[in-house]
């Protein structure tokens, strides 16, 4: 907190920018810096920046302005440690310790890489890294308080050097002790990014370096749930509740060097071709450390093998892509070839009788393509395809197709058809452990194939949206109740349908969101709640002689009771429940909040899980892992435009 106050005092003078209204996006409009004539005889002109002078984008997206509008969705974003709307997930008791996913979704960051599910919720992929274009030096700070002890601070500094080059530095540090024994979370990441465009606009380059660490103590959940459910005041101090693991922790490191450049060899608009080259190296490392073998995982000495207590897994990907881009305003086609050198390995070799290799590696050759078409400002099509093949991890094929169109003015439709056939996530292919039963090698697995069909319809009435998705998963790869990887011999079908709207009366607003889902066939392989919903009832208006804007209200989050998968710390994955596993859900989670905006500073203050102040907490994030008790949650966001 002291560090935050020092940053505020040091950087908070002489900042000024305008705020614009936001509809469905914050895409840049054709305004630019205001030029004001001073009125003097020497014709001195004063350049006063506006919000349109402060932009960001990812490499392949349109530029957007910094979003400084106080919309209702921000209470779902900046009250979360990963600054994302986590609808369809339920947070563990300590921030920085991940989520239990309640809704099926495809995570493409797990393709041909090692990424444990519970380490993935704050990871920045290539398409998540932001590049900036600002007229003056710009900084942003996002602060979250922690559970029990610690804090989280994310800071960004970016500056243009001339008109053609921008650099940015971003750092996030999180440390939260938690309310239970052995639950410390310690996450950090650093991002350096740069974007350069030549004066004649023929050459453009993007580069970034990213290093993230997601480190957590692992307590395996509480050892006796009856102590938690009994209501005994001796256990109101959660440190008094025994846990299953006392000396274990998991660590995940994610590092990437990325460089992309494109060159337009012809000046004439008749030949709108560009040559694009992209190279990156990404390394993922996962460690599971113990000071001693945990009795929770074994009964006798024969259950252990001669192997270090601390185990390591890693994956590496060196990717090199060359393509040719035909670039017109309403038609873009990018096609090229890609070479990858991919490795998957473990730290120290396992005993030979287990027949588990120390490293798997291959050279992959493939092709990539991307097509973008815009018609009559009413229809937009984006279709991309990637194919590669290797001797070790088989064939990879991904096709993503998205169409956006406006059949009637004010009504927008997004339709998607996606297909992916890929090796199961590397975390399920191999694992080393001192515990005999947790060593495995999934040899020659079939490709996991996912077909996704869906879309959403955005209506002008009540700012409403209706969405539906259908998934078919063949060769679904999962971990059974013994934490052993398995593949399903028949398909798993999942249907989802839901909607969201905002109803307003004066300054009062109601924003509900619901999702219904079901699995058809093999539903026991992926337990999920049939219903997930939330409602946000709030008042929003000006205050303090219009110097501030206030949001205050109540949020309720709910999902139906179901037999959830269990969290398994050794792999940081979720495994099927055993016969005695408890169900979770069926309990509302109510938060009361007071949010305020003053100029470009936002305050998010909420009493989380307030209903546990007058009723006993009987809610769980996952079996044996109680959800957080009442806590005062604080988030602060500050944009500084000098």
């Amino acid at each position: 907190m002291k560090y935050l106050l020092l940053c505020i005092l040091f950087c908070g003078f002489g900042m000024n920018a305008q705020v614009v209204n936001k509809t469905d996006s914050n895409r840049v409009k054709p305004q630019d810096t205001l030029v004001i004539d001073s009125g003097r005889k020497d014709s001195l002109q004063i350049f006063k920046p506006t919000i349109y002078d402060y932009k960001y984008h990812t490499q392949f997206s349109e530029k957007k302005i910094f979003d400084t509008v106080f919309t209702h969705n921000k209470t779902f974003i900046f009250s979360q440690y990963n600054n994302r709307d986590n609808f369809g997930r339920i947070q563990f008791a300590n921030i920085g310790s991940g989520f239990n996913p309640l809704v099926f979704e495809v995570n493409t960051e797990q393709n041909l890489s090692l990424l444990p599910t519970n380490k993935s919720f704050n990871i920045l992929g290539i398409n998540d890294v932001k590049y900036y274009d600002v007229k003056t030096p710009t900084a942003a700070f996002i602060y979250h308080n922690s559970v029990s002890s610690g804090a989280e601070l994310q800071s960004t500094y970016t500056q243009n050097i001339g008109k053609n080059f921008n650099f940015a530095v971003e750092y996030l540090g999180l440390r939260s002790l938690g309310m239970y024994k052995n639950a410390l979370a310690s996450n950090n990441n650093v991002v350096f990014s740069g974007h350069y465009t030549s004066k004649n606009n023929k050459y453009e380059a993007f580069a970034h370096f990213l290093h993230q660490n997601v480190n957590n103590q692992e307590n395996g959940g509480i050892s006796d749930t009856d102590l938690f459910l009994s209501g005994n005041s001796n256990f109101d101090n959660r440190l008094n509740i025994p846990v299953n693991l006392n000396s274990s922790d998991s660590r995940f490191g994610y590092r990437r060097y990325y460089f992309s450049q494109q060159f337009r060899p012809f000046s004439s608009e008749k030949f709108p071709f560009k040559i694009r080259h992209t190279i990156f190296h990404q390394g993922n490392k996962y460690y599971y450390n113990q000071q001693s073998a945990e009795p929770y995982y074994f009964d006798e000495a024969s259950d252990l093998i001669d192997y270090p207590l601390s185990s390591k897994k890693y994956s590496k990907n060196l990717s090199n892509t060359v393509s040719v881009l035909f670039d017109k305003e309403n038609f873009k086609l990018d096609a090229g070839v890609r070479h990858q050198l991919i490795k998957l390995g473990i730290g120290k070799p396992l005993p030979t009788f287990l027949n588990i290799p120390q490293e798997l590696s291959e050279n992959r050759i493939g092709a990539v393509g991307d097509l973008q078409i815009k018609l009559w400002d009413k229809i937009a099509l984006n279709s991309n395809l990637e194919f590669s093949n290797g001797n070790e991890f088989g064939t990879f094929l991904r096709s993503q197709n998205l169409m956006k169109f406006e059949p009637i003015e004010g009504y927008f439709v997004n339709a998607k058809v996606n297909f992916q056939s890929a090796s199961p996530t590397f975390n399920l292919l191999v694992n080393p452990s001192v515990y005999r039963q947790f060593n495995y090698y999934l040899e020659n697995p079939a490709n996991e194939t996912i077909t996704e069909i869906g879309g959403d319809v955005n209506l002008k009435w009540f700012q409403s949206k209706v969405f539906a998705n259908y998934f078919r998963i063949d060769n679904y790869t999962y971990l059974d109740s013994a934490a052993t990887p398995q593949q399903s011999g028949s398909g798993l079908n999942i249907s989802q349908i839901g909607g969201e709207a905002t109803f307003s009366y004066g300054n009062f607003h109601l924003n509900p969101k619901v999702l219904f889902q079901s699995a058809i066939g093999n539903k026991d392989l992926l337990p999920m709640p049939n219903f997930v919903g939330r409602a946000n009832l709030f008042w929003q208006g000006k205050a303090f002689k219009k110097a501030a804007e206030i949001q205050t209200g109540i949020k309720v989050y709910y999902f139906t009771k179901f037999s959830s998968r269990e969290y398994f710390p050794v792999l940081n994955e979720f495994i099927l429940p055993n016969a005695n596993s408890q169900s979770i859900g069926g309990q509302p989670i109510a938060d009361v909040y007071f949010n305020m905006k003053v100029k470009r500073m936002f305050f998010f203050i909420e009493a989380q899980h307030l209903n546990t102040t007058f009723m006993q907490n009987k809610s769980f994030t996952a079996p044996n892992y109680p959800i957080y008790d009442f806590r005062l949650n604080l988030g602060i966001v500050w944009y500084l435009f000098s």
Side-chain angles (χ1 to χ4, degrees), residues 398-619:
R398 180 173 64 196
S399 175
Q400 295 177 312
N401 306 276
L402 174 64
M403 177 179 285
K404 300 180 179 181
F405 58 97
E406 186 181 5
I408 303 174
E409 187 174 356
Y411 297 82
F412 300 92
V413 178
N414 299 312
K416 60 183 176 182
V417 177
N418 298 330
F419 177 82
Q420 175 177 294
S421 178
S423 164
T425 173
F426 284 179
N427 202 28
L428 303 190
L429 294 188
V430 63
N431 190 68
S433 177
V434 67
Y435 307 105
R436 184 183 298 272
Q437 62 177 328
F438 302 146
N439 290 282
Y440 59 75
Y441 172 41
L442 189 61
E443 191 173 5
N444 298 321
N447 267 15
E448 187 176 60
T449 302
I450 303 173
T451 303
E452 178 184 5
I453 302 173
D456 58 74
V457 180
N458 296 264
L459 311 174
K460 62 181 179 181
W461 292 312
F462 309 113
Q463 304 175 45
S464 55
K465 178 173 73 172
V466 179
F467 58 88
N469 292 298
Y470 167 79
F471 299 91
R472 177 176 174 84
I473 312 170
D474 292 304
N475 302 316
Y476 174 61
T477 310
Y478 62 97
L479 292 163
D480 62 19
S481 58
T484 302
Q486 306 286 349
Q487 284 197 303
S488 172
S490 54
L492 173 62
N493 299 276
I494 301 171
S495 60
Q496 301 171 347
I497 186 170
E500 181 178 14
T502 302
F503 306 96
S504 301
Y505 181 78
N507 288 339
F508 290 92
H509 311 273
L510 174 63
N511 172 239
K513 183 174 183 178
V514 297
L515 181 144
F516 299 89
Q517 63 179 350
S518 62
I520 306 170
N522 291 322
K523 61 182 180 180
D524 293 337
L525 301 183
L526 185 58
M528 62 182 68
N530 293 323
F531 171 79
V532 181
R534 73 181 180 199
N536 179 20
L537 177 62
F538 65 101
W539 180 93
Q540 181 169 349
K542 300 290 185 178
F544 307 114
K545 297 182 179 180
K546 297 185 177 181
E549 190 172 2
I550 289 175
Q551 288 178 351
T552 183
I554 181 171
K555 300 183 291 187
V556 179
Y557 192 43
Y558 178 84
F559 57 93
T560 50
K561 192 173 184 178
F562 75 109
S563 180
S564 169
R565 293 180 296 174
E566 299 181 4
Y567 172 59
F568 186 60
V570 172
L571 300 176
N572 256 254
E573 298 284 356
F574 293 87
I575 67 175
L576 292 183
N578 58 48
N580 300 319
S581 183
Q582 66 193 119
S583 297
I584 70 169
Q587 302 283 339
I589 303 168
D591 305 334
V592 173
Y593 66 91
F594 178 88
N595 302 335
M596 183 170 63
K597 175 190 174 186
V598 180
K599 293 185 178 180
R600 294 165 310 281
M601 179 178 283
F602 300 80
F603 298 89
F604 299 90
I605 305 170
E606 62 182 23
Q608 287 189 336
H609 213 170
L610 184 65
N611 43 317
T612 60
T613 60
F614 54 85
M615 59 184 293
Q616 184 184 344
N617 184 5
K618 295 184 179 181
S619 300

Side-chain angles (χ1 to χ4, degrees), residues 81-92:
Y81 79 91
N82 61 345
N83 301 314
R84 301 174 186 176
D85 186 343
N86 293 302
F87 180 83
R89 303 168 181 168
I90 186 69
Q91 182 180 299
F92 281 90

Side-chain angles (χ1 to χ4, degrees), residues 52 62 255 591:
Y52 298 102
E62 296 179 357
R255 180 179 295 182
D591 305 334

Side-chain angles (χ1 to χ4, degrees), residues 17 69 77 96 211 222 224 249 257 325 334 336 395 417 501 544 583 604 619 632:
V69 181
I77 298 173
H211 189 194
I222 58 178
D224 188 351
D249 69 83
Y257 302 87
L325 172 64
D334 183 12
T395 299
V417 177
F544 307 114
S583 297
F604 299 90
S619 300
L632 188 64

Side-chain angles (χ1 to χ4, degrees), residues 7-203:
C7 291
I8 291 173
L9 291 173
F10 181 76
C11 300
F13 300 100
M15 309 299 176
N16 186 28
Q18 291 181 333
V19 174
V20 295
N21 291 329
K22 176 183 177 183
T23 54
D24 63 336
S25 75
N26 55 332
R27 287 191 291 266
V28 174
K29 299 178 182 179
Q31 289 93 335
D32 204 346
T33 303
L34 293 176
V35 181
I36 302 174
D37 193 334
S38 68
R40 299 179 182 178
K41 293 182 179 180
D42 59 1
S43 300
L44 176 67
Q45 290 181 327
I46 301 173
F47 291 81
K48 184 180 180 181
T50 73
I51 193 63
Y52 298 102
D53 293 311
Y54 300 91
K55 311 164 193 173
Y56 70 90
H57 64 115
T58 59
Q59 182 176 349
F60 301 110
S61 71
E62 296 179 357
K63 288 186 177 181
K64 298 180 180 181
I65 59 174
F66 277 71
D67 185 2
T68 59
V69 181
F70 205 27
T71 51
H72 71 272
N73 64 315
K74 288 186 171 60
T75 193
F76 300 115
I77 298 173
F78 293 119
S79 60
Q80 302 292 304
Y81 79 91
N82 61 345
N83 301 314
R84 301 174 186 176
D85 186 343
N86 293 302
F87 180 83
R89 303 168 181 168
I90 186 69
Q91 182 180 299
F92 281 90
N94 193 17
I95 68 168
S97 296
F99 300 82
N100 183 0
L102 307 175
V103 175
F104 177 78
E105 58 185 354
V106 180
N107 185 355
T108 57
E109 291 298 320
Q110 291 181 318
N111 290 337
L112 298 177
S113 70
L114 172 66
L115 178 57
T117 297
N118 203 43
K119 299 293 188 182
S120 67
F121 298 109
N122 205 22
I123 292 298
L124 297 176
I126 289 175
N127 294 327
D128 296 320
V129 174
K130 294 178 180 178
Y131 303 92
Y132 299 89
D133 181 10
V134 294
K135 283 292 194 301
T136 60
T138 300
F141 298 94
I142 303 175
Y143 169 85
H144 297 279
N145 67 333
S146 67
V147 178
S148 182
S149 177
E152 177 190 9
L153 179 63
Q154 178 178 339
S155 56
T156 301
Y157 179 84
T158 181
Q159 179 178 345
N160 275 35
I161 299 178
K163 296 181 179 181
N164 305 103
F165 177 70
N166 172 274
F167 74 91
V169 181
E170 303 180 52
Y171 178 79
L172 179 145
L174 179 152
R175 185 177 178 84
S176 183
L177 184 61
M179 298 299 295
Y180 293 84
K181 292 180 180 177
N182 203 46
L184 174 68
S186 178
N187 304 174
N188 62 76
N189 68 52
V190 61
V191 183
F192 297 96
S193 64
H195 176 217
Y196 172 77
T197 305
S198 64
K199 291 182 179 180
N200 59 9
N201 290 320
K202 284 189 174 184
Y203 179 81

Side-chain angles (χ1 to χ4, degrees), residues 255-466:
R255 180 179 295 182
R256 181 170 59 247
Y257 302 87
Y258 179 89
F259 179 70
S260 179
Q261 58 184 336
Q262 59 187 32
F263 175 68
R264 180 163 57 93
F266 306 108
S267 299
S268 173
E269 293 297 328
K270 295 180 180 180
F271 305 98
F273 291 96
K274 294 180 181 179
I275 300 172
R276 177 178 288 167
H277 172 236
T278 300
I279 184 170
F280 70 84
H281 180 271
Q282 181 169 300
N284 299 8
K285 297 180 181 179
Y286 177 68
Y287 302 86
Y288 188 76
N289 304 312
Q290 305 163 97
Q291 294 180 8
S292 61
E294 300 275 11
Y296 179 64
Y297 287 134
F298 74 101
D299 296 319
E300 52 190 45
S302 60
D303 294 332
L304 304 176
I305 65 171
D306 183 18
Y307 198 73
L309 292 169
S310 297
S311 59
K312 172 188 175 182
K313 291 194 287 187
Y314 64 88
S315 70
K316 298 178 181 180
N317 184 350
L318 176 60
S319 175
N320 202 351
T321 306
V322 177
S323 63
V324 176
L325 172 64
F326 182 85
D327 190 1
K328 295 286 286 185
E329 182 178 359
N330 294 321
F331 182 89
K332 295 182 180 181
L333 176 61
D334 183 12
V337 295
R338 173 171 294 170
H339 171 262
Q340 293 173 287
L341 174 59
I342 295 181
K343 296 181 179 180
L344 168 65
I346 62 177
K348 185 177 179 181
L350 284 158
T352 55
F353 70 87
L354 291 172
N355 197 28
I356 296 178
Q358 185 176 6
E359 185 177 86
L360 305 171
S361 64
E362 68 175 12
N363 284 279
R364 301 180 66 86
I365 298 294
V368 294
D370 184 80
L371 174 66
Q372 298 180 41
I373 301 175
K374 295 181 181 180
L375 299 174
W376 312 298
D377 293 328
K378 294 289 185 178
I379 300 176
L381 171 66
N382 188 353
S383 179
N384 63 71
L385 176 70
E386 180 178 352
F387 170 83
S388 65
N389 187 61
N391 295 327
E392 191 64 56
F393 304 116
T395 299
F396 175 83
L397 175 63
R398 180 173 64 196
S399 175
Q400 295 177 312
N401 306 276
L402 174 64
M403 177 179 285
K404 300 180 179 181
F405 58 97
E406 186 181 5
I408 303 174
E409 187 174 356
Y411 297 82
F412 300 92
V413 178
N414 299 312
K416 60 183 176 182
V417 177
N418 298 330
F419 177 82
Q420 175 177 294
S421 178
S423 164
T425 173
F426 284 179
N427 202 28
L428 303 190
L429 294 188
V430 63
N431 190 68
S433 177
V434 67
Y435 307 105
R436 184 183 298 272
Q437 62 177 328
F438 302 146
N439 290 282
Y440 59 75
Y441 172 41
L442 189 61
E443 191 173 5
N444 298 321
N447 267 15
E448 187 176 60
T449 302
I450 303 173
T451 303
E452 178 184 5
I453 302 173
D456 58 74
V457 180
N458 296 264
L459 311 174
K460 62 181 179 181
W461 292 312
F462 309 113
Q463 304 175 45
S464 55
K465 178 173 73 172
V466 179

